[in-house]
Amino acid sequence: MNPLEISANVFNLISVFLANRNSIHTWWTGIAGTVLFAFLFYEVKLYADVTLQIFFVLTSIYGWRNWLLGGDQKQELTITRANPIQLIFFVAASCAITFGYGYLLVRLTDASYPFVDSIVLVFSVLAQLLLMQRKLETWIFWILVDAVAIPLFASKELYLTAAIYSAFLVNAVFGLFNWIKIYRTQ
């Protein structure tokens, strides 16, 4: 455990907690944490996760703006449900991309656990895209990502990160129930 890992986890823990609470401040705290995680994951050769952190920075800027001004009347977005047909397409595409990216990592890099790392990457992208639109289903994919990421990070001796992702998993379950409650009362 080093100061970089600790700092990245603190910012991301705050960001994920704020997302659960449906708070706009999830975005800037997430940006800080993801920049720190990018450096950490590069050090331990989890290159798909480095790519993911770059994606998170860019989409967090967009998500921040979208939550504030993304509604039809340039008002704050409310929580909505994803279209089931689109969701099926996104899941199928995510599975195919996971395999393709994992294969590229095997062929072109010295990546650790390329296919597992690719699951974390691709399904985090899907979850993030849904989060940016304040879609309720985002939490289902965060639960999946966290469940896969915990043993991955533990295997790389990133024990603090694995523990934090365990907290993220619990938070994602509560986030799902919290957003269902908010969705029903909007």
Side-chain angles (χ1 to χ4, degrees):
M1 188 173 357
N2 65 43
L4 182 58
E5 182 182 11
I6 293 167
S7 301
N9 278 296
V10 166
F11 275 104
N12 280 318
L13 190 60
I14 292 167
S15 177
V16 169
F17 174 77
L18 292 171
N20 174 332
R21 308 303 309 158
N22 199 30
S23 170
I24 195 76
H25 299 292
T26 187
W27 297 108
W28 71 264
T29 54
I31 291 168
T34 56
V35 167
L36 296 170
F37 262 138
F39 289 107
L40 176 67
F41 292 143
Y42 182 79
E43 287 179 3
V44 297
K45 298 183 180 183
L46 290 174
Y47 303 129
D49 275 302
V50 174
T51 304
L52 179 60
Q53 302 314 304
I54 295 166
F55 170 81
F56 279 156
V57 170
L58 298 174
T59 57
S60 291
I61 293 166
Y62 176 81
W64 193 354
R65 183 208 157 277
N66 202 39
W67 275 32
L68 281 173
L69 304 171
D72 293 335
Q73 307 297 324
K74 297 295 180 202
Q75 298 172 342
E76 185 174 330
L77 284 180
T78 57
I79 296 170
T80 58
R81 299 291 309 265
N83 176 312
I85 301 298
Q86 288 177 330
L87 203 54
I88 290 168
F89 171 76
F90 291 147
V91 170
S94 295
C95 289
I97 294 166
T98 295
F99 178 78
Y101 196 77
Y103 179 76
L104 285 174
L105 289 175
V106 167
R107 301 289 294 161
L108 302 175
T109 73
D110 62 345
S112 298
Y113 308 106
F115 289 100
V116 177
D117 199 19
S118 293
I119 291 169
V120 173
L121 166 69
V122 175
F123 283 91
S124 292
V125 168
L126 177 56
Q128 182 77 353
L129 293 172
L130 293 170
L131 181 64
M132 289 165 39
Q133 298 299 317
R134 267 193 173 147
K135 298 294 183 189
L136 180 65
E137 293 80 5
T138 189
W139 294 107
I140 295 166
F141 294 103
W142 286 125
I143 290 167
L144 169 69
V145 166
D146 295 337
V148 172
I150 293 164
L152 174 65
F153 296 145
S155 74
K156 297 303 291 182
E157 298 181 3
L158 298 173
Y159 299 119
L160 175 61
T161 302
I164 295 296
Y165 270 72
S166 297
F168 288 171
L169 177 59
V170 171
N171 187 71
V173 171
F174 282 108
L176 176 61
F177 289 116
N178 191 39
W179 278 34
I180 288 171
K181 184 172 66 174
I182 294 168
Y183 173 76
R184 289 180 177 161
T185 62
Q186 297 184 132

